Amino acid sequence: GAGVSQSPSNKVTEKGKDVELRCDPISGHTALYWYRQSLGQGLEFLIYFQGNSAPDKSGLPSDRFSAERTGGSVSTLTIQRTQQEDSAVYLCASSLGLAGSLYTQYFGPGTRLTVL
Amino acid sequence: ILNVEQSPQSLHVQEGDSTNFTCSFPSSNFYALHWYRWETAKSPEALFVMTLNGDEKKKGRISATLNTKEGYSYLYIKGSQPEDSATYLCAASPAAGNKLTFGGGTRVLVKP
């Protein structure tokens, strides 16, 4: 079946602009995660959604970052007033459920964001 | 939040040689350990999920072990091939919740 998809694959923007990154999880997966990898860094957790529960936003680096998940499926990560340090690969992942972390997370191909 | 570390950061392996590398994590408040392989321009691919002390998993020429008492996992590649070249990520989660903390990865380059 279809895997996790993300769009756009690449985004170049100017400092101060807002950007939206989209994630389509695997159908039936109730958990959705956003991560980012900055140059030379490991994968950094940003936020996750599980069903109708309140999202865990503990990894969002600043209030310029927000995310929503509509209808328990598609998610959008929004970065307002982008800064150069926001340049990174943003990865989305989905999994079957939250109950403990034994569920494999399936990753999308990522969006490479470059802020000039 | 767990502190997950991987070593080495990178290694070069001659084709046909075997290799291994380490993921370490706090042994307290541990629940599960994941290994992923991330090839350039592709999505990270899940390799293994382990939770019990002494777990061993195998997938083709790749295998992993888990020691939860001392807080480490080894990933082994037997008879390395150029297609094994990738960054190998480990991630751990604490007892509560489903949030994974990733290590910095080990970048493996297999030279023909």
Side-chain angles (χ1 to χ4, degrees):
Chain A
V4 178
S5 61
Q6 291 186 245
S7 61
S9 56
N10 279 285
K11 177 72 176 179
V12 180
T13 190
E14 293 180 348
K15 178 180 174 182
K17 301 279 189 181
D18 297 352
V19 295
E20 284 190 353
L21 312 180
R22 177 187 167 106
C23 172
D24 282 89
I26 293 173
S27 178
H29 281 191
T30 58
L32 185 147
Y33 313 79
W34 283 98
Y35 299 89
R36 73 174 177 182
Q37 186 183 42
S38 304
L39 190 63
Q41 305 295 314
L43 272 179
E44 175 189 10
F45 165 81
L46 297 177
I47 185 171
Y48 82 74
F49 299 86
Q50 168 58 30
N52 295 321
S53 302
D56 180 340
K57 305 179 182 180
S58 60
L60 294 179
S62 78
D63 59 8
R64 296 185 296 104
F65 287 72
S66 62
E68 63 177 19
R69 188 178 184 192
T70 54
S73 182
V74 171
S75 177
T76 302
L77 177 70
T78 301
I79 309 173
Q80 295 178 309
R81 305 180 303 281
T82 52
Q83 304 294 311
Q84 288 181 332
E85 61 262 28
D86 299 335
S87 296
V89 175
Y90 289 81
L91 286 168
C92 174
S94 69
S95 71
L96 278 172
L98 173 65
S101 52
L102 294 180
Y103 291 103
T104 294
Q105 295 186 19
Y106 294 88
F107 284 83
T111 293
R112 181 175 295 278
L113 175 66
T114 304
V115 182
L116 301 177
Chain B
I1 297 177
L2 300 179
N3 184 29
V4 180
E5 296 184 351
Q6 292 186 246
S7 63
Q9 282 188 318
S10 65
L11 60 93
H12 291 185
V13 185
Q14 199 65 39
E15 181 176 359
D17 287 352
S18 296
T19 188
N20 65 83
F21 36 93
T22 308
C23 173
S24 62
F25 52 88
S27 55
S28 61
N29 198 29
F30 165 83
Y31 185 73
L33 192 285
H34 296 234
W35 279 101
Y36 289 85
R37 174 170 59 197
W38 194 2
E39 296 178 64
T40 302
K42 294 186 178 180
S43 308
E45 172 198 359
L47 291 174
F48 309 113
V49 180
M50 297 181 288
T51 185
L52 298 177
N53 186 47
D55 260 354
E56 293 187 24
K57 295 285 180 82
K58 186 176 182 182
K59 185 177 183 178
R61 294 179 291 98
I62 300 176
S63 60
T65 60
L66 179 66
N67 183 322
T68 61
K69 293 183 179 180
E70 297 183 38
Y72 64 83
S73 175
Y74 289 135
L75 191 122
Y76 301 87
I77 305 176
K78 183 179 179 181
S80 303
Q81 299 297 308
E83 59 264 31
D84 296 328
S85 297
T87 296
Y88 291 81
L89 298 169
C90 73
S93 70
N98 199 22
K99 193 184 318 183
L100 292 180
T101 300
F102 282 83
T106 293
R107 185 169 183 172
V108 175
L109 178 62
V110 181
K111 298 181 288 186

